[in-house]
């Protein structure tokens, strides 16, 4: 009589691989990006519980995220509302541009001490034909993104983490206004010439001219803010 085949025990289903928990820094970066791009509008609420659920993090970590955002001036705690995205304040933005002018000047000077031919080739490519094409095509997001990448690269070349952090904090609080100012008549076209003039001075290692270009960039931005503040 043939032996009956052995019954095999059912194998347990493999455990689902759990994704690693997002770090506080990663969540802060994502929320900062959403605020800067206006995916989160000024006045939007950021409840701690919803933040924890959205990013699958503990409430304690959500509180850390909110504390960091508050420290950076991007949110405020409002009685009976909790954490809300800080509204755009034109007067504060104007003053932030004044501070940014000084910090940008230092960043450019330090970057010129460290930059080599390959770095300048990278910066020149950023401000190439596509810089103008995005504007002609009405893609203001791509245009502003190019400026952000140029500025970030200059800050990297400066090689000063303390300076980079200060500039980043100010940039985050002016980014929404920067997008709006870029839409105003003539501002973006002027900006293209000014950024290219700045890069040209940097490539010639003319620190005084580079710093003058930085002042011109920030001063003209402030002038547009003052001139058109009722429309921003």
């Amino acid at each position: 009589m043939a032996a009956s085949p052995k019954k095999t025990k059912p194998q347990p289903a493999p455990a689902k691989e759990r994704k690693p928990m997002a770090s506080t820094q990663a969540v802060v970066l994502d929320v900062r990006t959403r605020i800067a791009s206006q995916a989160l509008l000024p006045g939007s609420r950021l409840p701690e519980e919803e933040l924890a659920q959205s990013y699958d993090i503990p409430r304690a970590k959500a509180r850390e995220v909110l504390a960091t955002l508050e420290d950076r001036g991007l949110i405020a705690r409002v009685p009976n509302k909790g954490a809300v995205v800080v509204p755009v304040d034109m007067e504060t933005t104007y003053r932030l541009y004044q501070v940014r002018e000084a910090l940008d000047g230092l960043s450019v000077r330090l970057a010129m001490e460290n930059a080599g031919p390959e770095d300048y080739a990278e910066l020149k490519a950023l401000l190439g034909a596509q810089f103008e094409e995005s504007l002609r095509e009405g893609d203001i997001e791509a245009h502003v993104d190019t400026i952000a990448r140029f500025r970030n690269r200059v800050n990297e070349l400066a090689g000063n983490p303390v300076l980079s952090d200060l500039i980043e904090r100010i940039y985050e609080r002016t980014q929404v206004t920067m997008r709006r100012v870029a839409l105003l008549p003539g501002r973006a076209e002027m900006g293209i010439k000014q950024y290219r003039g700045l890069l040209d001075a940097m490539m010639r290692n003319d620190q005084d001219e580079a710093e003058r270009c930085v002042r011109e960039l920030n001063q003209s931005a402030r002038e547009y803010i003052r001139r058109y503040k009722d429309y921003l």
Side-chain angles (χ1 to χ4, degrees):
M1 185 174 176
S4 57
K6 289 184 178 179
K7 291 184 179 180
T8 56
K9 292 182 179 180
Q11 297 297 315
K16 287 186 179 179
E17 187 176 342
R18 184 176 176 81
K19 292 195 300 184
M21 184 187 300
S23 67
T24 301
Q25 185 179 10
V27 177
V28 168
L29 178 60
D30 189 64
V31 178
R32 281 164 45 195
T33 302
R34 292 171 64 199
I35 291 173
S37 65
Q38 290 195 285
L40 281 172
L41 292 170
S44 299
R45 294 180 66 245
L46 279 176
E48 181 184 300
E49 185 175 358
E50 287 185 18
L51 195 66
Q53 290 176 352
S54 297
Y55 292 95
D56 194 21
I57 56 176
R59 292 283 291 269
K61 184 166 282 193
R63 284 193 290 274
E64 288 179 25
V65 170
L66 292 175
T68 302
L69 293 169
E70 185 177 24
D71 177 61
R72 300 183 80 91
L74 297 175
I75 68 166
R77 313 281 183 145
V78 179
N80 302 320
K81 280 191 175 182
V84 298
V85 178
V86 173
V88 177
D89 177 349
M90 286 300 109
E91 189 61 35
T92 300
T93 301
Y94 186 89
R95 291 169 180 164
L96 286 168
Y97 266 89
Q98 290 178 315
V99 177
R100 197 175 88 169
E101 181 180 319
L103 297 179
D104 283 350
L106 176 57
S107 178
V108 164
R109 281 185 176 271
L110 293 176
M112 290 169 68
E113 293 176 6
N114 300 326
E118 291 182 0
D119 300 311
Y120 283 129
E122 180 186 350
L123 292 172
K124 192 171 182 179
L126 274 176
L127 302 186
Q130 193 173 357
F131 193 28
E132 290 175 285
E133 287 170 11
S134 60
L135 188 59
R136 283 197 297 268
E137 293 168 1
D139 191 348
I140 199 66
E141 287 300 317
H143 181 76
V144 172
D145 180 64
T146 297
I147 293 172
R149 288 161 60 199
F150 177 87
R151 295 172 61 88
N152 288 341
R153 185 65 185 121
V154 169
N155 290 337
E156 287 174 4
L157 289 169
N160 186 314
V162 175
L163 176 63
S164 293
D165 181 64
L166 292 171
I167 289 176
E168 189 177 78
R169 285 169 179 260
I170 290 178
Y171 186 74
E172 286 171 353
R173 296 179 65 186
T174 58
Q175 206 166 3
V176 171
T177 307
M178 181 180 171
R179 280 172 163 77
R180 296 181 183 181
V181 169
L183 291 169
L184 296 172
R187 173 57 197 153
E189 291 80 2
M190 180 189 295
I192 289 174
K193 293 179 182 178
Q194 289 172 335
Y195 274 104
R196 286 178 174 170
L198 168 60
L199 179 58
D200 181 63
M202 292 175 68
M203 293 176 72
R204 289 187 283 107
N205 200 33
D206 188 338
Q207 291 197 354
D208 291 338
E209 175 62 14
E211 195 158 357
R212 188 200 66 78
C213 290
V214 168
R215 288 197 303 272
E216 182 183 49
L217 265 166
N218 283 281
Q219 288 170 4
S220 62
R222 293 202 306 273
E223 178 57 31
Y224 267 82
I225 290 171
R226 180 162 48 202
R227 195 185 311 169
Y228 292 99
K229 65 179 179 180
D230 293 337
Y231 302 96
L232 295 175

